[in-house]
Every structure is written in structure tokens, then in C-alpha cells.
């Protein structure tokens, strides 16, 4: 949503993950009492669009990581998604902005799976730290 300004109603990944969401701590071991579980069919997909006044955002990573969180249940069930981002505004006509200069690499999927998912002894968090260098840049008129 933040990088593209919209999520279309037919965006399968967004709505699939919404329908698969379950909270923790409720009487059923799933959703908290105040947050009902989302069940497929209960919530029809709808498109979401940011207003034109919302600034255009760019990622600090020129190529988004394949995932920033990888959890495993046993050896066959893996949840790997990009959940974390470094976002900023690029240069624009009404003022300066940032451009991505470089970013730190993140481990590959097979490496993290071999360690049993995250967190593990080598990666104490369940999310990768995203590190990038940004450079302040004036608008040059050719964006």
C-alpha cells in the first residue's frame, strides 16, 4: 500500500494473509476475545487507495528482500514474508528527498531454513535488521 499507493481487491497475497490471520490468547487459543478471527468468506476483499496528498514513498532497498521474517513449524511449514521496510520520500518539486545509496545484504532463505528459522543462535530476533544508506538529494526536474 505505501509503496504503490493502492492495494487492489484482486491482490491475492494481501487478502490470503488477512484471511489466514489469527490472534493469540483467546479462549479458543486463537483470537483474543476483543478481536474476532478472520475467516475466509467473512470479509470480502475491497480495494484500498491512498489519497493524492499522501507523499510518494520509496524503499531504502533498491530491491526488496524476499523476506524479513521466517518462521518454521517443524520442517515442512514455513512462513516467509517481507514484513519490514525502510521507507522515505524521494526528491520532489517542493523540496529535497532521499535516494538509496546502498543497503546491507540479508541472508538467503535456504540459510535461514537450515538454521531452523528465526530466531536462532545466529539471529537473535525473528526479523532481520534492515540497514541502508540514504543520501539527501534536491529535485532535479527530471523525475
Amino acid at each position: 500500500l505505501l509503496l504503490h499507493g493502492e492495494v487492489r481487491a484482486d491482490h491475492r497475497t494481501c487478502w490470503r494473509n488477512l484471511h489466514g490471520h489469527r490472534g493469540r490468547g483467546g479462549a479458543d487459543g486463537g483470537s483474543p476475545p476483543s478481536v474476532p478471527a478472520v475467516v475466509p468468506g467473512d470479509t470480502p476483499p475491497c480495494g484500498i487507495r491512498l489519497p493524492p496528498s499522501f507523499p510518494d514513498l520509496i524503499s531504502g532497498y533498491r530491491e526488496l528482500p524476499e523476506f524479513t521474517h521466517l518462521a518454521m513449524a517443524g520442517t515442512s511449514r514455513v512462513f516467509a514474508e517481507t514484513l519490514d521496510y525502510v521507507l522515505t520520500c524521494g526528491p520532489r518539486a517542493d523540496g529535497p528527498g532521499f535516494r538509496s545509496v546502498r543497503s546491507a545484504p540479508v541472508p538467503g532463505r535456504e540459510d535461514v531454513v537450515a538454521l531452523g528459522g528465526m530466531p536462532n543462535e545466529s539471529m537473535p530476533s525473528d526479523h532481520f535488521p534492515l540497514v541502508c544508506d540514504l543520501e539527501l538529494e534536491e529535485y532535479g526536474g527530471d523525475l
Side-chain angles (χ1 to χ4, degrees), residues 14-122:
C14 177
W15 304 117
R16 181 192 71 217
N17 289 338
L18 174 66
H19 289 305
H21 172 72
R22 294 279 188 259
R24 295 187 180 145
D28 64 356
S31 300
S34 61
V35 180
V38 177
V39 179
D42 284 356
T43 308
C46 62
I48 301 170
R49 182 181 302 262
L50 294 173
S53 61
F54 198 87
D56 289 333
L57 297 177
I58 60 169
S59 172
Y61 276 68
R62 290 184 182 148
E63 291 185 32
L64 292 176
E66 176 188 355
F67 63 95
T68 60
H69 171 80
L70 189 144
M72 296 179 64
T75 57
S76 61
R77 289 187 48 212
V78 176
F79 173 83
E81 293 289 336
T82 301
L83 304 176
D84 306 287
Y85 301 85
V86 175
L87 300 176
T88 187
C89 290
R92 53 198 189 281
D94 63 348
F98 292 92
R99 72 175 183 87
S100 178
V101 176
R102 66 183 155 263
S103 53
V106 295
R109 181 184 189 106
E110 57 282 342
D111 296 326
V112 178
V113 168
L115 292 169
M118 300 164 63
N120 59 56
E121 192 171 308
S122 299

